[in-house]
Every structure is written in C-alpha cells, then in structure tokens.
Amino acid sequence: MTDIIHFHDVSHRYPGGHDVLTHVSFSVKQGEMVFLTGASGAGKSTILRLIALLARATRGEVLMQGRNLRQLKPREIPAYRQRLGLVFQDFNLLNDRTVFDNVALPLIIRGHSYRDVGRQVRAALDQVDLLDKEKVHPLFLSGGEQQRVGIARAVVTKPELLLADEPTGNLDPQMAQEVMRIFARFNEVGVSVLVATHAIDLIKAMPYRIVHLEHGRISMRTPIGAHHLGDTQHG
Amino acid sequence: MAKAEAGDLRPGWLSRLAEEHARVFFFSLGKLWQNPVGALLTALVIGITLALPAGLHVLIGNVDKLSYSWEGAAQSSLFLKDSVTEERGRDLAREIEARPGVARTGYISRQQALDEFRKLSGFGDALDLLGDNPLPAVITVTPLRKQTREQVAALTDELAHLPEVDRAKLDQKWLERLYAILDFLQRGVAVVAALLGIAVIITVGNTIRLDIQARREEIVVMKLIGAPDSFIRRPFLYTGFWYGLSGSVVALLFVLAGLAALTEPVRNLAGLYESDFSLAGPSFLAVLEMFGAGILLGWLGAFLTVSRQLGKIEPR
C-alpha cells in the first residue's frame, strides 16, 4: 500500500520558541485508519494542522501522496484542502444554516449542481443517521448529532483523507463510541482516516494502528493490525 | 474513485458559474433582508451622498439648456461706413437676411441711432453742440437659433469683410461668460462627485468590514473546508452591488423630489422673464449613468475591503 501521508523527521516550533513536535516520522497508508494519541499538548493537533496546511513545519517534510506540502503555492492550498475531510472537536458548524446547508457547503464550494448537491447531501446524512434532521439548525441538535453533521460535511465530497481532531472531546461515552464506529464504517469503504484523540479507553479495543505522542515525540506505535496497546513498538 | 465520480456529475463550468452567481445574488440579498434597518440606513447614506452630485448635474444640465435657448438671442452689429447711403444700407440688410444661417436683420439709420442715443444717454443738449452726426448706420443680424457659437462667430467675421462694413461686433460676451461659469461649475461638480464617490467607497467598505467581522467564524470554516478567496469574496461583492443599487434608487428619489419642489418656483421665475422654461428631470441615460456609478462604487468599496480583510483571517 502507498502512503497517503508521510512525515519525515518533522519538527515544529511555535513563534514563541516552544517546540511542539521534535523529529516526528510516521506514515498513514492509503485506506488505513490510524489513531494519534497523547496527552493535551503532546502535538496531536499540530500534526493534523500541518497536514491541513493550517501551519507549516519548521523542519522536515510532510508528503501527501508523495507530494511535499512545502512546495504548494498559497493559491493551491484551497484545492488541496478540498481533498481532505476535517472533523473538529467543537464541530465548527454554521449555526445560521440548516443541517442540509452545512453539509452542502463543501459541494457548493466545489461547484456541484443543485441536483447533485441534494443527492449527495442526503446520502451523507443517511450514513450518519440524520436524514430526518436536514431542515433543523445545528443549535437544536445534541452534541453527538452536531458532530455527526460535522462528519457528514467532512465525508460528503468523498475525501482522500479524513482528519478528525478530538472528535469525541465534547461527547458522552456512548455518543463517542458511536462517532468512532462511524469513522470505522467510512474506513471500511476505503477512506483513509487519521483521528487525534486522548481517549485511549475508547479506542484500545479497536483494530487500528495507534501512534502515541509524548512531549512532541513519538513514544510508541502499534503495528498495523494490532488490536491492543500491548502489541507495540517504541519509537 | 471518488474524484472521478464527482467529476463526472459536474455540469459545464459556465452553467456552474451561472448557477453559483445566481445563488450568491439572492443569498446576499437575503442577508440584507435579514437586517432591513441597517441595510436601509446604509442605502440612505449612500443615496444622500450620490444625490448631491447627481442633483447638481441635473441642475447644471437645465442651466445649460436654458443658455442654449439664449444663444439664439446673440446678435451681430455691422457698423456701416459713412459713405454707404441709407438706400444701399437697407438693400444690404435684405441681402444679408437672405444668407443661410441668418434669421432676420434690422437696419438702424444714422439718424435713428442718434435719436435713440439722445433718448437713452441723457446727453441730448451736448449732442446738439456737435455739427455732424458722429454715429454710423448699423445693421443688426440675428442668426438662426440652431447656429452654434462658432458658426455665428464665423458669419460675423465673413460679414465684417463686406466693402460696406466698417466694423462688426458680435454681442455675446455675456453668453461666453455664462458658458465659462457653467464650465467652472461642471468642473466643480466633477470634483465634488469624485470626493463623494470616495465617500461612498468608504461607507460601503466600512459596512462590509463590519459584516466580515460578524461573519468571521463562517469565513474561517469556509477556509478550513477549502473555499478559495474568490468563493468567500463573492457574497460580499454582491452585497456591495446591492448597496450601490439601493443607494442609487434612493439618490434618484431625492433628485426627483428636489426637482418637484423647484419646478413651480422656477416656472414662476421664468414667467417673469416671459420665458416658458421649465426644469427637466434626468434623462434615461443619466439615470443609467447614476445607477452604473452607484453599483460600481458599491462593488469597488466591497472589493477593496474584502480583499484586505480576508488576508487577515486565519487560516490563510
């Protein structure tokens, strides 16, 4: 399998001088689902930010399907981000628009026709079991439902890579499990998924690779196919 | 796999662009509709700002029209040589009246001129002391109303070279002064219009800036999911378009109201001068120009502001 994302000796320092990532190297294979774990401040979100080009690595290389992201020109960044699906801890939904309009937004940005937008939005909402909520505004939904809307928005364009930053951070355990199951379902149909989470208990029973970060360094990684944290490589 | 499927479903770029513009056209109007008081106040400010130069332009157009009607009143005076007999002078007046571009002529004999001068000047007794009549006979030439200033001047110059004519004088200095004043006013209105145009750009720009601040989170989300700046900018540009258009409508209403208020006094004033002059409203072309200027200024104010503000919002 080819790498969809490859970090090669990446370090990142905040403008204030604090090192948030130090010599990080890892890959996510095409069609793979990987969890990034670690305590708050370990550097999980920074890795996702570097992939989404919300920040640029101070040192090292981040490659998306073999292309060095450092080479992307500013005007190429929106088209690059359209290849990703982003899920956020605080959902980042537009509260003055309906669920349908929120999920439709990435398709409208890409210039899909109205007919196509309607069809694809309903398909995405069906996948997260929110088809009956398409005319509701996000503020009238529970946290779990809002996160599912966020996931539907992220997957509606069938992205090459789904990035989720603490997607269960604001959810109760039952809803958190449901959200993780939704990610797993998308991965089963071939979507590459990278989830940053500190909820080890939630994912340790799941059959996906884990990359664990401590103080900006990779401290442990489970091999592909490992089902629990006991089967690890320290790195 | 996904990309190919999505690509196959997309219609042509032109119809997609048209669909997107139609969507944003109504979306931006809907956004204004959600805040009618704010939108109305902005339109009023723009309307008042546009109404001033537009109104002055219309008034100057009316004065220009009035001066054009006065232009026909310009007369040339041909002072004849003393050797020209009265009979020849009257014949010459008839010959000149037959020329193209001449509406009518009049002949004032030396004696008539003296009598008239005696009556008007108050020097009657002093004139009696003169042995000979010092005044020449005069032919007054009134050109056709459609003649331009240049044509009248050329005709006068031509008549000045007739052998019977000693000197010719074109009596339209006052009209030239009026034209000079009108030129000055038109230039002044252009300067005022330019300054107020900048004011419209600043007004729209500031309104759009506040709008961008209010929708900052929405813009951030759009950037995160891959919206290019052109996509984010578009609704704000249409908002500028709507502000410009609504401001132009308000300005037109102000101008028409102003004209309506002035029509009767102007008619009364013109009547005192035995004129049937009445104020004319802006022409269809002038209205189109005003709307075009308003829309352009609104769009420009939005474009300048949104381009500057978007660069400040992370992620870039």
Side-chain angles (χ1 to χ4, degrees), chain B residues 3 13 33 58 66 70 110 131 145 188 207 213 216 222 302:
Chain B
K3 270 172 72 180
W13 67 270
W33 195 253
V58 170
L66 186 62
W70 286 338
R110 296 179 67 196
R145 199 169 278 266
T207 309
Q213 282 176 1
R216 191 182 181 87
M222 284 188 178

Side-chain angles (χ1 to χ4, degrees), chain B:
Chain B
M1 50 115 194
K3 270 172 72 180
E5 185 187 336
D8 291 342
L9 285 167
R10 297 182 195 192
W13 67 270
L14 195 60
S15 58
R16 271 191 286 134
L17 195 67
E19 198 176 70
E20 168 60 11
H21 275 271
R23 185 189 70 79
V24 179
F25 185 80
F26 292 110
F27 173 80
S28 54
L29 185 62
K31 279 280 177 191
L32 290 179
W33 195 253
Q34 286 171 4
N35 182 19
V37 177
L40 187 65
L41 286 176
T42 305
L44 274 174
V45 171
I46 295 169
I48 291 167
T49 313
L50 288 174
L52 186 60
L56 285 174
H57 185 72
V58 170
L59 281 181
I60 286 179
N62 274 287
V63 176
D64 203 30
K65 191 181 79 168
L66 186 62
S67 68
Y68 179 75
S69 70
W70 286 338
E71 199 167 68
Q75 278 189 341
S76 298
S77 299
L78 307 177
F79 300 96
L80 303 182
K81 290 175 180 168
D82 289 346
S83 57
V84 179
T85 63
E86 185 171 339
E87 188 183 2
R88 174 61 195 140
R90 290 189 188 280
D91 286 346
L92 184 61
R94 276 192 289 273
E95 286 168 23
I96 292 171
E97 194 168 305
R99 282 174 174 251
V102 176
R104 63 181 179 277
T105 58
Y107 178 79
I108 302 169
S109 68
R110 296 179 67 196
Q111 189 56 46
Q112 282 174 316
L114 185 64
D115 293 345
E116 197 171 323
F117 186 71
R118 192 191 298 277
K119 195 166 71 182
L120 293 174
S121 67
F123 293 122
D125 295 339
L127 289 171
D128 289 338
L129 297 175
L130 296 171
D132 291 328
N133 179 0
L135 298 179
V138 177
I139 296 174
T140 58
V141 180
T142 305
L144 285 173
R145 199 169 278 266
K146 64 182 179 185
Q147 296 279 294
T148 64
R149 273 186 292 169
E150 289 74 19
Q151 285 173 319
V152 173
L155 175 69
T156 307
D157 193 48
E158 191 184 330
L159 296 175
H161 287 89
L162 292 173
E164 295 88 348
V165 175
D166 183 36
R167 199 159 55 87
K169 187 168 173 284
L170 179 58
D171 186 22
Q172 62 173 26
K173 270 278 182 234
W174 65 275
L175 202 55
E176 284 172 358
R177 287 194 195 103
L178 178 65
Y179 277 119
I181 292 169
L182 281 178
D183 284 344
F184 169 74
L185 287 177
Q186 274 168 345
R187 193 69 61 91
V189 168
V191 171
V192 169
L195 290 174
L196 291 176
I198 293 170
V200 170
I201 289 174
I202 292 170
T203 304
V204 172
N206 192 48
T207 309
I208 296 286
R209 186 178 61 80
L210 295 173
D211 200 14
I212 288 172
Q213 282 176 1
R215 291 163 66 183
R216 191 182 181 87
E217 284 182 22
E218 180 183 341
I219 292 169
V220 169
V221 170
M222 284 188 178
K223 285 191 167 195
L224 285 173
I225 60 178
D229 280 357
S230 59
F231 181 89
I232 300 170
R233 193 187 294 130
R234 203 168 290 143
F236 295 107
L237 295 185
Y238 271 103
T239 303
F241 164 87
W242 286 119
Y243 280 138
L245 181 65
S246 55
S248 300
V249 171
V250 172
L252 180 64
L253 293 176
F254 276 129
V255 169
L256 292 178
L259 283 173
L262 289 175
T263 296
E264 198 54 37
V266 167
R267 191 176 292 148
N268 290 340
L269 185 65
L272 294 174
Y273 285 91
E274 294 175 356
S275 165
D276 59 352
F277 173 78
S278 63
L279 281 176
S283 65
F284 179 68
L285 187 65
V287 172
L288 279 186
E289 282 174 359
M290 190 168 77
F291 275 50
I295 289 168
L296 184 68
L297 290 171
W299 182 89
L300 193 61
F303 179 80
L304 293 175
T305 303
V306 78
S307 298
R308 210 162 58 90
Q309 296 292 322
L310 279 190
K312 293 180 183 173
I313 296 177
E314 297 276 1
R316 297 206 168 96

Side-chain angles (χ1 to χ4, degrees), chain A residues 118-187:
Chain A
R119 200 178 59 76
Q120 295 204 43
V121 167
R122 290 190 181 96
L125 287 175
D126 190 34
Q127 286 174 312
V128 295
D129 292 327
L130 284 176
L131 200 49
D132 57 334
K133 305 276 188 183
E134 68 171 51
K135 290 177 182 166
V136 179
H137 283 74
L139 289 177
F140 296 100
L141 299 175
S142 68
E145 287 172 325
Q146 288 189 49
Q147 190 56 290
R148 277 147 61 197
V149 175
I151 294 170
R153 184 181 64 188
V155 301
V156 72
T157 56
K158 303 180 178 67
E160 294 165 50
L161 174 64
L162 187 58
L163 300 173
D165 189 9
E166 298 285 3
T168 59
N170 288 335
L171 306 181
D172 61 52
Q174 192 182 351
M175 198 51 71
Q177 278 189 342
E178 172 58 23
V179 165
M180 289 301 184
R181 274 198 292 272
I182 290 171
F183 286 132
R185 283 209 302 269
F186 283 115
N187 178 244

Side-chain angles (χ1 to χ4, degrees), chain A residues 9-48:
Chain A
D9 196 23
V10 172
S11 296
H12 189 66
R13 173 176 288 187
Y14 281 141
H18 169 61
D19 287 323
V20 66
L21 289 179
T22 309
H23 302 297
V24 168
S25 296
F26 79 101
S27 297
V28 177
K29 303 287 181 194
Q30 191 88 45
E32 189 186 12
M33 179 156 160
V34 174
F35 287 113
L36 279 173
T37 61
S40 290
K44 310 183 296 292
S45 295
T46 302
I47 285 178
L48 299 190

